[in-house]
Amino acid sequence: MKQTQGQLDDLAAAAPDTSPFSSNQLGMMQLTGDEHDGLWSGIMTALIQHHLVNISPVIQEQFEDAMNAWLHAKEAPTVRQFADFFEANAAALTHSTAVKGLFATRKPRVITNGMSTQ
């Protein structure tokens, strides 16, 4: 019993600290590269089918490329973070008149030395 407990203690001491990661992120890390890419591809397909229904396939493909670039530039976003980002950006394509209207009501900002002023 003492030997088994000692082995368990050694394993626990050698385990990496996973506290900064959500259970979703830990699950994603366990997937192999192909499984990981396949999972995100399925999520992307579902989001495209839901949010970009009346958008041309060429634009959908370009949008997917842009979303994949964002996904790979981030450090393990959750599915919720990715879906929210996707939906917010899809609105520019699917509700362009409303988006333009929002910008039309905003006061222009002056940019100086890389800092925005109101």
Side-chain angles (χ1 to χ4, degrees):
M1 180 70 173
K2 284 185 177 185
Q3 183 182 8
T4 303
Q5 186 60 47
Q7 290 173 334
L8 289 173
D9 292 342
D10 290 345
L11 285 173
D17 178 19
T18 60
S19 60
F21 303 104
S22 70
S23 60
N24 184 30
Q25 289 170 318
L26 290 172
M28 294 295 289
M29 289 176 193
Q30 290 176 338
L31 298 173
T32 65
D34 290 342
E35 291 171 327
H36 181 269
D37 290 344
L39 177 64
W40 280 109
S41 178
I43 292 166
M44 182 78 74
T45 299
L47 289 167
I48 288 171
Q49 290 173 350
H50 183 75
H51 293 290
L52 302 178
V53 177
N54 296 317
I55 303 299
S56 79
V58 172
I59 301 300
Q60 285 181 5
E61 185 177 322
Q62 292 172 344
F63 189 83
E64 181 177 358
D65 289 346
M67 292 295 103
N68 275 319
W70 180 85
L71 178 62
H72 290 86
K74 296 287 285 180
E75 288 191 27
T78 65
V79 173
R80 170 59 31 212
Q81 289 170 326
F82 180 70
D84 290 346
F85 183 77
F86 186 102
E87 182 178 9
N89 284 279
L93 296 175
T94 58
H95 299 89
S96 59
T97 304
V99 171
K100 288 177 190 175
L102 289 172
F103 283 115
T105 62
R106 299 280 307 201
K107 181 180 175 184
R109 296 182 188 179
V110 177
I111 307 294
T112 58
N113 296 333
M115 300 297 290
S116 173
T117 61
Q118 298 270 18

